């Protein structure tokens, strides 16, 4: 059965800190890994990673995929209170389009 | 607003009633997905549809749940004879054709269903 595991489950940091979130997966016929940010409403798309070792960056957020070790990390630098959210990792297989999600990491950034 | 739209945002039903949840995909998107998020749990895939076709319904409960995406109009997720365990947030997502994208899906704001 396909499995996506995120760690840590939750963390509390102070503004300005750097946060590293982990996502490991066991999936047959892997195609891509996606990161989403979920506040009180819809998950918001952050990144899609398909190739190993290529970092994707958007402002203070960055992410990279390791297809050999089957994991991805999401980094947030210089955190702000607006970064407080649940961060979701999902994988998509080569055949079919459904996303298999991890349980999420809850991040709380304190002022 | 060019995003994925869902309505209603909140829906309260008594046990045994029917719930109908609607989803309009982003403009230009032809693929629709439904996911369910139970309290304190992650998002779980339910069904994947294209216009007039169910492509993958492997995540749908076998009874009481159905989905459609007609040629005209929004996609509908229908839950008959609701039970308390159906209380959850139901999210719709859409994507362009896989040929035009890597597969990223964009989510709507969700419908929060409460069964009393």
């Amino acid at each position: 059965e396909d499995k996506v595991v995120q760690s840590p489950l939750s963390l509390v940091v102070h503004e300005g800190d750097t946060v590293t979130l982990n996502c490991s997966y066991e999936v047959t016929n892997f195609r891509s890994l996606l990161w989403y940010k979920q506040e009180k409403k819809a998950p918001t798309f952050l990144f899609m990673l398909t190739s190993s070792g290529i970092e994707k960056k958007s402002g203070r957020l960055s992410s990279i995929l390791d297809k050999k070790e089957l994991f991805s990390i999401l980094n947030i630098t210089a955190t702000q209170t607006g970064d407080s959210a649940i961060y979701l990792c999902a994988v998509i297989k080569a055949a079919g389009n459904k996303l298999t999600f991890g349980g999420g990491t809850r991040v709380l950034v304190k002022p | 607003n060019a995003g994925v739209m869902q309505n209603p945002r909140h829906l309260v039903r008594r046990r045994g009633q029917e719930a109908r949840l609607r989803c309009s995909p982003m403009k230009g998107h032809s693929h629709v997905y439904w996911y369910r998020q139970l309290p304190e749990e992650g998002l779980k895939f339910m069904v994947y549809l294209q216009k007039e076709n169910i492509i993958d319904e492997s995540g749908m409960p076998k009874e009481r749940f159905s989905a459609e995406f007609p040629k005209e109009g929004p996609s509908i997720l229908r839950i008959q004879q609701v039970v308390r365990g159906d209380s959850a947030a139901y999210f719709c997502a859409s994507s362009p054709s896989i040929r035009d994208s890597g597969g990223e899906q964009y989510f709507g704001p969700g419908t929060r269903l409460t069964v009393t």
Side-chain angles (χ1 to χ4, degrees), chain A residues 31 36 38 42 48 97-99, chain B residues 35 37 48 98 102 105 108:
Chain A
R31 168 151 47 109
Y36 287 86
Q38 186 177 24
M48 186 170 71
N97 291 348
K98 71 179 185 185
L99 293 174
Chain B
Y35 293 84
Q37 190 170 37
Y48 159 37
I98 301 309
Q105 298 175 18

Side-chain angles (χ1 to χ4, degrees), chain A residues 29-98:
Chain A
N29 298 317
F30 171 88
R31 168 151 47 109
S32 301
L33 184 144
L34 295 84
W35 284 97
Y36 287 86
K37 176 184 181 183
Q38 186 177 24
E39 295 167 274
K40 291 200 183 213
K41 41 187 171 58
T44 306
F45 173 75
L46 296 175
F47 297 112
M48 186 170 71
L49 303 150
T50 304
S51 301
S52 220
I54 298 173
E55 186 184 52
K56 292 223 171 171
K57 237 175 129 55
S58 175
R60 295 176 294 102
L61 276 67
S62 63
S63 184
I64 197 159
L65 173 68
D66 185 328
K67 288 167 78 171
K68 188 178 171 195
E69 299 297 329
L70 307 183
F71 77 93
S72 173
I73 60 171
L74 175 70
N75 279 319
I76 311 173
T77 57
T79 51
Q80 302 170 357
T81 54
D83 295 326
S84 296
I86 297 172
Y87 289 84
L88 299 167
C89 165
V91 296
I92 190 164
K93 297 170 72 149
N97 291 348
K98 71 179 185 185

Side-chain angles (χ1 to χ4, degrees), chain A residues 5-50:
Chain A
V5 178
Q6 291 186 246
S7 63
L9 284 181
S10 65
L11 71 163
V12 181
V13 298
H14 288 94
E15 273 192 315
D17 288 349
T18 292
V19 156
T20 298
L21 309 181
N22 302 292
C23 175
S24 64
Y25 61 92
E26 289 176 31
V27 171
T28 53
N29 298 317
F30 171 88
R31 168 151 47 109
S32 301
L33 184 144
L34 295 84
W35 284 97
Y36 287 86
K37 176 184 181 183
Q38 186 177 24
E39 295 167 274
K40 291 200 183 213
K41 41 187 171 58
T44 306
F45 173 75
L46 296 175
F47 297 112
M48 186 170 71
L49 303 150
T50 304

Side-chain angles (χ1 to χ4, degrees), chain B residues 56-97:
Chain B
D56 181 353
E57 55 182 347
S58 58
M60 287 278 268
K62 293 281 183 274
E63 295 173 352
R64 302 188 296 108
F65 285 72
S66 62
E68 62 176 7
F69 189 14
K71 192 175 175 184
E72 303 289 338
S75 174
I76 307 280
L77 179 68
R78 184 175 172 219
I79 312 172
Q80 295 179 289
Q81 298 173 331
V82 295
V83 301
R84 288 227 172 98
D86 297 332
S87 295
Y90 291 83
F91 289 96
C92 170
S94 72
S95 70
S97 71

